[in-house]
Amino acid sequence: MQELVLNQPVSTARSELVREAAQADARREFEERLAECGQLAFRVARAVLRNTADAEDVAQPAHLPPPATVEDVAASKQFQGHLERALEELPEKLRLVLLLSAMEGHTIDEIASMVGVPLGTVKSRIFIARKKLAEKLRCYANTIRTR
């Protein structure tokens, strides 16, 4: 009678390679997602903290490749500057609920719990903040869109 012997080191080595490949894939996916949202994280952190150095520390923004054309880069940077200034001009209570909702994706219930105000107050603050922000950015958006 012949005895069947399993070779453990080969299966262990194979499973180790599979695990390392999975880790490499997960790391690559994480880096891609970080690159996609790095600038957004920085803008949100800067708007909340109102300090560029602190925002860089908090967000640790990834370096993204520049958009296709020089005109796009210029328009994007110009509009980003206008957006940051418009956000800074909003009263803090409006800016906070807008950033929590639009930038971080929290629900109105979550924001009400975090800020400690009623649901209706959060809804009205978000509405007012969007309206004021749209008013401040309307002329800049039209200028950039016509290029």
Side-chain angles (χ1 to χ4, degrees), residues 23-85:
Q23 285 178 339
D25 287 343
R27 189 178 306 117
R28 194 174 314 111
E29 182 179 346
F30 173 77
E31 289 172 357
E32 288 172 2
R33 289 182 189 243
L34 181 62
E36 289 172 3
C37 64
Q39 291 290 15
L40 176 62
F42 170 76
R43 287 194 304 265
V44 170
R46 186 174 182 285
V48 171
L49 298 173
R50 297 181 146 226
N51 182 309
T52 302
D54 290 343
E56 287 174 350
D57 289 342
V58 169
Q60 299 176 354
H63 298 288
L64 299 176
T69 66
V70 174
E71 292 84 14
D72 290 340
V73 173
S76 174
K77 286 185 179 181
Q78 183 181 16
F79 187 75
Q80 182 177 344
H82 294 305
L83 175 61
E84 288 176 0
R85 278 191 294 283

Side-chain angles (χ1 to χ4, degrees), residues 46-47 50 83-92 95:
R46 186 174 182 285
R50 297 181 146 226
L83 175 61
E84 288 176 0
R85 278 191 294 283
L87 281 170
E88 288 174 0
E89 291 173 6
L90 289 175
E92 187 168 346
R95 183 177 59 251

Side-chain angles (χ1 to χ4, degrees), residues 1 19 31-32 51 67 73 87 97 105 109 111 131 135 146:
M1 183 168 190
R19 188 174 57 77
E31 289 172 357
E32 288 172 2
N51 182 309
V73 173
L87 281 170
V97 295
D109 290 328
I111 296 169
K131 185 177 178 183
E135 290 170 359
T146 59

Side-chain angles (χ1 to χ4, degrees), residues 79 82 86 130-146:
F79 187 75
H82 294 305
R130 286 178 179 164
K131 185 177 178 183
K132 287 184 179 228
L133 195 60
E135 290 170 359
K136 291 174 185 289
L137 296 175
R138 185 167 286 125
C139 63
Y140 300 119
N142 290 337
T143 303
I144 291 172
R145 205 177 298 140
T146 59

Side-chain angles (χ1 to χ4, degrees), residues 94-108:
L94 298 179
R95 183 177 59 251
L96 179 61
V97 295
L98 181 65
L99 292 175
L100 289 172
S101 170
M103 303 290 196
E104 294 188 16
H106 291 286
T107 66
I108 293 173

